[in-house]
Amino acid sequence: MRLARACRSEKQLKRNGRNENSVDGQDVKPTLKTIAFMTGLAVASVSKALKDAPDISQKTKDRVRLIAQQIGYEPDPAGIRLRTGRTKVIAVVLSIDEDRVGFSSQFVFGISEALRSTGYNMMVMPHTLQNDGLSSVRYLVDNKIADGIIIARIEPHDARVRFLSDRGVAFSTHGRSSMGIEHPFADFDNHAFAYQAVELLARRDRRRIAIIAPPQNLSYFDHIRSGFRSAMNAFALPEAAMWSHTDTPLRDAYQEFETLLRSSEPPDALICCAGGTAIAANAALLAAGRTLGKDFDMVAKQSFELLHWIDPNIIIAQEDLRTSGRDVAELVLARIAGEDPAMLKRLTQPRWLDNNSLQHLKEPT
């Protein structure tokens, strides 16, 4: 009877051209009482059904969940926090300065994909490079705003990692620290990228290889440097300077690289560790009268499929930030669930595009 009355009421509201969840034209958020009225169950039974309680039949659970989905029911976050102490929020702390060529959008999209069916919501907290992000992390923790935190741009001795570990907060990182603290991370194998990039260029008889590396304060600078130097030694190439870095403003990167190309001993190849600087470097090559694939070669890492539109002769390794976003989200959820942080590690390998596959390459032992 109650279900029939609810259906009749819904039909009447639709005939009147009004939203079925409204009163006097104002939207009303569905509650447990709404579902109880529509199913004829007690509010407590509805609550148990939605929580998958063992004393509720599967048939009842399915019926309750179907109606909850149809009417757009969502649990009240304030109520959840009062009952469980959980916020059902994952906070993502990102630098607004690093959003070149789609970094943040792809990374955040991957996180949202992983959280979509978990009941967790995402909150993005931006900061600038002038602010190391620790104050943002401290604010989140001190005010108990999130159940888990995701951070990026990791340093070898990262104050945020130590703070979160000391406070016992669930977190995951995009990148690895080297301070002896076990923590969940998802990372790209930048050592392998740099090594394989040098090998590709050496096979093309390039001898003077310049590199636009990450900022020296970041962990992946160490990984890039170790891979680069290992390969330079392995292929008996002369030592090359670590020229500029990927946070350099693009106009400055363009000018610096053009000056280098016009010097008395210019490089004949370049490794770019970010897509944005690869675009600036390509413009400098054109200005200096150099031709990719003929008197110069460039290897670049990109996170957004763009560089092959700039010049098809750029040798490209893809870093899938969308997958990285999914990984860090899954890892922080696993940490919230109590899994051992030492077991929550994911390291992805470079994916070379088109005919530049290096799957057969291995570093000499």
Side-chain angles (χ1 to χ4, degrees), residues 47-325:
S47 178
K48 286 184 176 182
L50 291 173
K51 294 177 182 177
D52 201 26
D55 58 336
I56 302 294
S57 72
Q58 189 61 47
K59 182 178 179 181
T60 298
K61 292 176 185 177
D62 292 342
R63 183 161 64 99
V64 168
R65 289 168 183 166
L66 177 61
I67 291 175
Q69 182 180 20
Q70 289 175 335
I71 66 175
Y73 168 78
E74 293 181 357
D76 179 26
I80 293 173
R81 184 170 183 175
L82 284 173
R83 291 193 306 273
T84 67
R86 297 288 190 187
T87 64
K88 302 299 286 185
V89 169
I90 300 297
V92 185
V93 181
L94 286 177
S95 165
I96 59 176
D97 301 89
E98 68 181 347
D99 194 19
R100 289 181 180 174
V101 200
F103 174 90
S104 295
S105 60
Q106 291 296 305
F107 189 63
V108 170
F109 190 81
I111 296 171
S112 67
E113 282 185 319
L115 298 180
R116 185 171 296 156
S117 59
T118 65
Y120 276 88
N121 296 301
M122 174 176 58
M123 180 185 75
V124 178
M125 176 168 281
H127 69 91
T128 65
L129 292 180
Q130 286 69 42
N131 172 0
D132 63 3
L134 179 58
S135 59
S136 299
V137 169
R138 188 184 298 275
Y139 175 82
L140 291 168
V141 174
D142 289 347
N143 291 280
K144 300 180 180 178
I145 291 173
D147 296 336
I149 297 174
I150 295 169
I151 57 177
R153 292 182 66 91
I154 302 303
E155 300 180 4
H157 297 275
D158 200 296
R160 299 167 300 169
V161 170
R162 183 170 298 282
F163 173 78
L164 290 167
S165 180
D166 288 347
R167 295 290 290 267
V169 176
F171 71 99
S172 65
T173 67
H174 182 236
R176 291 164 280 170
S177 67
S178 56
M179 54 204 303
I181 295 176
E182 293 285 5
H183 63 85
F185 71 78
D187 201 5
F188 178 82
D189 194 338
N190 284 287
H191 177 99
F193 162 72
Y195 189 96
Q196 293 171 9
V198 171
E199 179 164 3
L200 264 174
L201 295 171
R203 288 186 175 189
R204 292 172 177 246
D205 295 323
R206 300 306 181 190
R207 304 294 299 171
R208 294 182 54 78
I209 303 174
I211 184 168
I212 303 179
Q216 295 188 24
N217 63 305
L218 300 180
S219 291
Y220 82 105
F221 170 84
D222 294 336
H223 307 149
I224 289 285
R225 178 175 57 182
S226 66
F228 180 75
R229 288 183 172 172
S230 293
M232 296 291 282
N233 291 332
F235 298 102
L237 297 176
E239 181 72 17
M242 302 286 281
W243 173 82
S244 194
H245 63 78
T246 53
D247 281 354
T248 302
L250 297 187
R251 181 178 295 276
D252 293 343
Y254 166 86
Q255 293 173 344
E256 290 175 21
F257 190 51
E258 185 185 5
T259 299
L260 181 63
L261 289 169
R262 297 184 186 277
S263 65
S264 58
E265 293 186 339
D268 59 8
L270 174 67
I271 299 172
C272 280
C273 298
T277 47
I279 294 172
N282 187 68
L285 283 168
L286 294 173
R290 307 295 290 273
T291 304
L292 276 178
K294 292 184 178 179
D295 60 356
F296 199 93
D297 281 308
M298 185 195 305
V299 176
K301 180 177 67 168
Q302 68 174 11
S303 57
F304 186 78
E305 294 187 5
L306 175 67
L307 294 180
H308 63 289
W309 297 107
I310 303 299
D311 193 312
N313 292 301
I314 300 174
I315 304 167
I316 301 170
Q318 186 74 25
E319 180 181 7
D320 190 343
L321 287 173
R322 187 165 166 179
T323 296
S324 297

